[in-house]
């Protein structure tokens, strides 16, 4: 960075802090996007965007756009090349009217995520991959779409597409069942969430008992359905009217043509007195029990 640029940067920064700055929406917008490093911000302002004024475009003054994982697009002044926004980053539904967030990168389009509507969130337009088809990478990972593959391939030497569709894999357990303790007569449920291609089947068994649950046991029930994500299956084992003989280890077994995998969890059954003692003694432990597990949604 030359001294001239630094001085210009300081001028721009002091203008930005002043009350008379013409477009304070620029600052609002920048809070929502990924934090840029200080130098990048300053260079954008001084050279690419020249403040918020788009009156004249001198492309020879544009900074080089580097490290663009979703390709290069034109900046808000339609002048300088800059990095296109990645999947999941905010964008402007009508960039011809106004561009605060910048344009989506290649293979991406700006749209409102309808899955946000159900959650009572205010839906924000975000960049989404135009084609939602999974691909299998040469690293053996399934990428839920080409945009996610390209973003990873950008920084992973030698990563190629091995095939369309997810990688064929033995099932992977994404959410295993958790150990439970409850009082006699209560209702408990285990969840087992599996990713697999080809699709998996899930069975529940109790250790020491060969039968597949629920069998003909009316107080045990099993429900499975596809989801929450594509190529996933969720299965619940529910025990109603918990009795002492229900105590034991339950196993969720997922299998497809390529193999099978299992995860197990223990249910403890306590009488009412034992239960209150357990609760007072083990409260902190219980609270730590069911922390949502973090996992990577991009690929497995
Ligand atoms: C950038 O802004 C300066 C004033 O700060 C102005 O003189 C110059 O013409 C602008 N350059 C471009 C490319 O718009
Ligand atoms: C324990 O039983 C109660 C009553 O059936 C139920 O509401 C609660 O979710 C159960 N707790 C666990 C951890 O399963
Ligand atoms: C509290 O939990 C521990 C292990 O998790 C168990 O050994 C102990 O018996 C529990 N306390 C009561 C009162 O059940």
């Amino acid at each position: 960075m030359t001294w001239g640029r630094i001085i210009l940067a300081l001028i721009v920064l002091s203008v930005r802090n002043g009350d008379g700055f013409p477009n304070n929406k620029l600052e609002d917008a920048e809070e929502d996007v990924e934090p840029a490093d200080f130098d990048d911000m300053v260079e954008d302002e001084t050279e690419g965007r020249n403040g918020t004024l788009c009156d004249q475009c001198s492309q020879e003054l544009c900074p080089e756009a580097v490290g663009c994982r979703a390709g290069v697009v034109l900046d808000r002044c339609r002048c300088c090349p800059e990095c296109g926004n990645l999947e999941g980053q905010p964008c402007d539904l009508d960039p011809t009217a106004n561009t605060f967030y910048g344009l989506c990168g290649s293979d991406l389009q700006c749209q409102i995520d309808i899955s946000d509507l159900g959650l009572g969130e205010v839906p924000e337009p975000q960049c989404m991959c135009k084609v939602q088809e999974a691909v299998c990478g040469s690293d053996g990972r399934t990428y839920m779409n080409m945009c996610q593959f390209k973003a990873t391939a950008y920084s992973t030497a030698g990563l190629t597409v091995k095939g369309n569709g997810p990688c064929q894999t033995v099932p992977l357990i994404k959410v295993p069942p958790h150990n439970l303790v409850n009082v006699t007569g209560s209702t408990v449920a285990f969840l087992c969430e599996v990713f697999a291609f080809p699709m998996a089947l899930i069975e529940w068994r109790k250790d020491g008992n060969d039968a597949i649950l629920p069998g003909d046991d009316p107080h045990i029930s099993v429900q499975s359905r596809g989801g929450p994500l594509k190529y996933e299956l969720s299965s619940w084992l529910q025990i109603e009217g918990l009795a002492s003989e229900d105590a034991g280890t339950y196993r969720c077994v997922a299998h497809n043509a390529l193999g099978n995998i299992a995860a197990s969890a223990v249910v403890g059954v306590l009488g009412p007195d034992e239960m209150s003692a357990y609760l007072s003694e083990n409260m902190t432990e219980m609270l730590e029990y069911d922390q949502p597990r973090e996992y990577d949604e991009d690929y497995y």
Side-chain angles (χ1 to χ4, degrees), residues 270 274 277-279 281-282 285 289:
L270 301 177
E274 294 169 304
Y278 176 88
L279 283 180
E281 209 175 293
N282 286 314
E285 227 176 291
Y289 238 122

Side-chain angles (χ1 to χ4, degrees), residues 199-219:
M199 204 60 173
L201 282 175
I202 296 181
E203 283 170 4
W204 291 89
R205 292 169 197 267
K206 186 178 180 191
D207 279 13
N209 183 346
D210 281 342
I212 294 173
L213 299 174
D216 53 10
D217 192 333
H219 82 301

